[in-house]
Amino acid sequence: MSEDEKQTHLTYMREALAMAELALQTSETPVGCIIQHPTHGTIGRGMNATNRTRNGTMHAEFIAINQILAPPSQYTPDILKECTLYVTVEPCIMCASLLRQFGIKKVFFGASNEKFGGTGGVLDVHLGNGRGIGGKEGDYEVSGGWLREEAIVMLRRFYVQENERAPEPRKKAERVLKLEVEPLGELSGNGVD
Amino acid sequence: MTSATFHGPSNSTTSNGIVAQLAGTLIPLKTTLETSKDVKLLNVFITAVPLKKASGTLSLIRQLIPRDGGYDLQHLRRFAKPDLIPSAIRNSYFASSAESSDTELIFLIVAVASIIPKDILLDSLQKDRVEGPVVLVEGQIPFNAPTSAEQAKAWTNEYWPTVYKKSNPFGPHPAIVARAQAEIEGNAGKWLSLAWTVAAEAKTARTGEGVGVVIVERSEQGERCLAVAGDARWDNWPRDCGGNGNVTAHAAMRAIAMVTAKLPNAIPVTETDIFRSQPLFSLETDVEEPVNKDGYLCHELEIYCTHEPCVMCAMAIVHSRFGKIVFEKRMDEGGITADLNDKNDGLGHGLWWRRELNWTMLGWEFRRKGDGNDGNECRLPWDVDNGLNA
């Protein structure tokens, strides 16, 4: 990958981070994404909306796809087959499947998600729906580690805030925001190449 | 795992030819860990002692290696009569032993091989020995407790006498599963029948595929249906661009959206959206009103699905913190089951109960009475293809 290409991806990832920042300001889990089309540019933006909607499925990817396709829309659903998603945290298993079924072309993400990740963290939904063999219809390319530290610090800023909508608010007053992010271990992979 | 059969009344049928209460059996789902073919084994030293020396030898071992070095061997018999252990271990022992055949012997697990060198163990045991050299043979034992009586029996034959204690290190405790199953089996066939009815409606109205979902809340007051949803992937959606339709309008996604929209302070995403959380069919409006005022997501609710939900819907169900899932038809692209289907084309993700995830639930497959073993017959003209993401 050339330096120019790398800078382009980083620019788009900063746009996704801006969405995460917006989520943080509205007490949502700070995960943000943008959907980029090669000629139309950024056609969709999303941030986590699970607190606002009280619906645990309203992740940033759903919001961005909704923005593109909700009526009145200038696009038909097959536009997603030409699009690249930039998202601050690895898509969860649910979103990885959503993207697969809509036929996304490529995914760039920041931090890995070992608890729910659907593109390497827990399952490889982007490869044969998690069968572990690629080359199937719906497979997409994935590249992780883009602005990973920024994405992680964003999540930590959220977790030191109180989530007053959770059933029993936990005291987070003693929690301290840690800004240093451990370097990526060699085994975890997903680094920017 | 046990499964109970129940027979609901099958004389009343709806206009779609669906019985109002399906008769069938609930089969508890298996977890990814339970279906894994790999048995984790430990190497151990085994010996035999005269019966009357048994407790003395065990005391000596406990002094030498307190608490078995931290290994939990509760699922294994410590002592076993010669005829109860695999012949390979028995033969290997007698090949090196000078024991006279008229001494009554008992075999025992001495220690996990990795925690003590063999020569030290031999020396220590020899001091307690009245006659002849001590013989230690190496064997293998299962590291984890068995999850069924059948597994215990198989391990007893292959490795060492193993005891099934109705515990499950790889999934929900069998007693919890049995209790929950007793709760739901009275009406599971009724809720599934309702799900099939809305599935038929979705298909005949051409708004979606023949897939349906029902969400039920259980409390001391009984069961209440909070949402009924049919698939709506083709509702106001172009069929000519070769896609899979509106992926966000699968029946499970719609049902979850319907329930959470009624929670206090829920704000919709946008004024117009693609999520199809409004009722489209008459059956979908015929549900009980508001959910528990302190409701959080779909916490501990029950979801009944005509088809095994796809990976997206399966994970959506986990994110929504359902307590129980029941489905009827297994799907090739389904995300719930851990064991592969009969054609060996399932995914095996087992999302209903996985250690990595922050939420687990209880799950059953509904096997309709009178079906073949696979439960996958396309019994209705509008039923969907097995390869569909349901």
Side-chain angles (χ1 to χ4, degrees):
Chain A
M1 185 179 296
S2 74
E3 189 55 33
D4 271 7
E5 286 172 307
K6 209 165 165 173
Q7 287 309 320
T8 307
H9 296 314
L10 287 171
T11 304
Y12 293 143
M13 195 53 94
R14 279 188 201 101
E15 280 191 50
L17 268 173
M19 291 305 291
E21 177 74 49
L22 191 59
L24 190 65
Q25 287 163 15
T26 52
S27 297
E28 293 286 352
T29 310
V31 179
C33 72
I34 63 151
I35 292 177
Q36 182 71 22
H37 186 272
T39 55
H40 301 291
T42 300
I43 60 169
R45 289 172 207 275
M47 61 183 217
N48 202 296
T50 56
N51 280 335
R52 188 159 61 98
T53 60
R54 317 222 65 185
N55 181 343
T57 72
M58 288 294 114
H59 287 188
E61 294 89 334
F62 278 76
I63 306 300
I65 289 175
N66 179 59
Q67 199 196 353
I68 298 166
L69 300 176
S73 171
Q74 60 180 116
Y75 305 112
T76 53
D78 48 355
I79 187 140
L80 291 169
K81 294 179 180 170
E82 296 158 17
C83 290
T84 299
L85 170 81
Y86 292 85
V87 58
T88 57
V89 178
E90 180 191 344
C92 78
I93 292 167
M94 171 183 73
C95 292
S97 174
L98 171 85
L99 296 165
R100 179 178 185 87
Q101 294 184 55
F102 266 124
I104 198 91
K105 195 172 172 205
K106 188 161 181 177
V107 171
F108 287 85
F109 69 81
S112 291
N113 184 348
E114 276 135 38
K115 284 186 182 148
F116 308 115
T119 58
V122 176
L123 296 177
D124 290 320
V125 175
H126 61 300
L127 296 174
N129 209 6
R131 284 183 173 83
I133 357 162
K136 300 249 179 180
E137 196 193 332
D139 282 4
Y140 51 89
E141 261 184 85
V142 172
S143 174
W146 298 81
L147 300 185
R148 168 182 170 272
E149 288 80 4
E150 288 85 339
I152 292 174
V153 168
M154 195 83 83
L155 287 171
R156 287 189 186 157
R157 282 168 63 197
F158 176 70
Y159 290 121
V160 295
Q161 295 177 359
E162 305 234 8
N163 184 0
E164 74 270 9
R165 283 190 180 162
E168 283 169 38
R170 265 173 291 176
K171 274 279 158 261
K172 296 184 181 177
E174 301 88 50
R175 297 197 185 178
V176 188
L177 176 60
K178 199 175 131 207
L179 290 166
E180 314 82 57
V181 177
E182 297 74 24
L184 208 55
E186 275 184 35
L187 285 173
S188 41
N190 285 329
V192 179
D193 54 12
Chain B
M1 294 283 169
T2 55
S3 56
T5 307
F6 58 90
H7 310 287
S10 53
N11 47 355
S12 53
T13 50
T14 67
S15 55
N16 294 298
I18 299 166
V19 293
Q21 168 121 16
L22 301 171
T25 310
L26 289 170
I27 309 200
L29 298 180
K30 295 222 178 296
T31 67
T32 47
L33 293 167
E34 285 173 292
T35 52
S36 162
K37 296 278 182 293
D38 307 327
V39 180
K40 192 180 170 194
L41 296 172
L42 274 179
N43 290 318
V44 290
F45 294 122
I46 291 164
T47 191
V49 292
L51 199 50
K52 57 180 190 301
K53 295 284 290 178
S55 69
T57 307
L58 190 59
S59 309
L60 182 69
I61 293 169
R62 296 228 156 110
Q63 266 177 7
L64 200 60
I65 312 160
R67 295 179 302 106
D68 289 314
Y71 283 94
D72 181 5
L73 306 177
Q74 296 290 313
H75 56 292
L76 300 161
R77 300 239 182 249
R78 191 66 190 239
F79 291 95
K81 289 184 177 167
D83 55 337
L84 291 179
I85 64 169
S87 55
I89 298 177
R90 200 167 54 228
N91 296 342
S92 150
Y93 180 84
F94 286 118
S96 331
S97 164
E99 225 92 46
S100 65
S101 56
D102 46 334
T103 320
E104 201 182 343
L105 293 175
I106 191 149
F107 279 80
L108 79 148
I109 298 170
V110 182
V112 174
S114 60
I115 56 177
I116 185 163
K118 193 175 181 177
D119 50 347
I120 292 176
L121 195 55
L122 273 173
D123 276 358
S124 310
L125 292 176
Q126 194 65 52
K127 285 176 192 146
D128 191 47
R129 191 82 174 179
V130 187
E131 52 179 286
V134 172
V135 173
L136 285 178
V137 297
E138 287 181 43
Q140 289 190 309
I141 54 158
F143 175 78
N144 285 302
T147 57
S148 69
E150 299 80 60
Q151 193 172 46
K153 199 177 165 198
W155 288 357
T156 298
N157 292 333
E158 194 173 354
Y159 304 110
W160 184 265
T162 307
V163 195
Y164 172 56
K165 287 186 177 165
K166 295 208 168 176
S167 66
N168 186 357
F170 303 120
H173 194 283
I176 292 171
V177 177
R179 205 157 48 232
Q181 187 167 320
E183 265 182 358
I184 66 168
E185 64 192 356
N187 279 332
K190 179 178 114 184
W191 301 125
L192 272 178
S193 170
L194 183 55
W196 280 106
T197 309
V198 78
E201 209 165 349
K203 183 67 183 179
T204 44
R206 290 179 51 82
T207 52
E209 304 290 340
V211 177
V213 162
V214 169
I215 294 178
V216 172
E217 179 193 57
R218 180 177 304 275
S219 68
E220 280 155 21
Q221 285 78 50
E223 293 160 66
R224 299 194 312 147
C225 175
L226 301 186
V228 177
D231 185 278
R233 72 185 70 189
W234 300 115
D235 175 54
N236 283 309
W237 203 265
R239 284 182 188 254
D240 54 6
C241 35
N244 299 310
N246 182 352
V247 186
T248 71
H250 288 187
M253 301 304 286
R254 292 190 63 219
I256 290 169
M258 287 174 187
V259 168
T260 54
K262 289 188 241 165
L263 291 170
N265 306 321
I267 304 163
V269 177
T270 44
E271 248 171 62
T272 61
D273 63 47
I274 60 172
F275 300 126
R276 307 293 183 261
S277 53
Q278 297 304 312
L280 295 169
F281 315 112
S282 58
L283 269 175
E284 296 183 347
T285 56
D286 192 21
V287 294
E288 302 254 356
E289 268 306 304
V291 185
N292 166 15
K293 283 224 161 55
D294 313 314
Y296 179 68
L297 305 175
C298 295
H299 193 241
E300 293 298 351
L301 299 180
E302 298 171 2
I303 186 163
Y304 295 84
C305 314
T306 55
H307 298 76
E308 179 183 359
C310 73
V311 174
M312 173 188 67
C313 292
M315 195 60 202
I317 290 166
V318 175
H319 281 318
S320 300
R321 308 202 170 177
F322 278 88
K324 306 185 186 87
I325 178 167
V326 176
F327 70 86
E328 181 165 353
K329 223 181 122 172
R330 274 189 185 238
M331 299 300 277
D332 295 347
E333 305 298 318
I336 294 291
T337 52
D339 48 333
L340 301 185
N341 65 19
D342 301 311
K343 290 182 294 157
N344 261 357
D345 200 28
L347 295 171
H349 294 341
L351 291 173
W352 72 281
W353 203 102
R354 265 183 92 112
R355 277 230 176 105
E356 304 96 316
L357 309 178
N358 70 342
W359 187 255
T360 59
M361 60 191 113
L362 300 174
W364 294 265
E365 187 176 351
F366 182 86
R367 201 158 286 171
R368 206 182 283 208
K369 195 183 167 208
D371 247 7
N373 274 336
D374 67 355
N376 266 337
E377 291 162 34
C378 273
R379 61 183 77 75
L380 295 162
W382 39 263
D383 204 356
V384 303
D385 183 83
N386 260 79
L388 184 87
N389 278 290

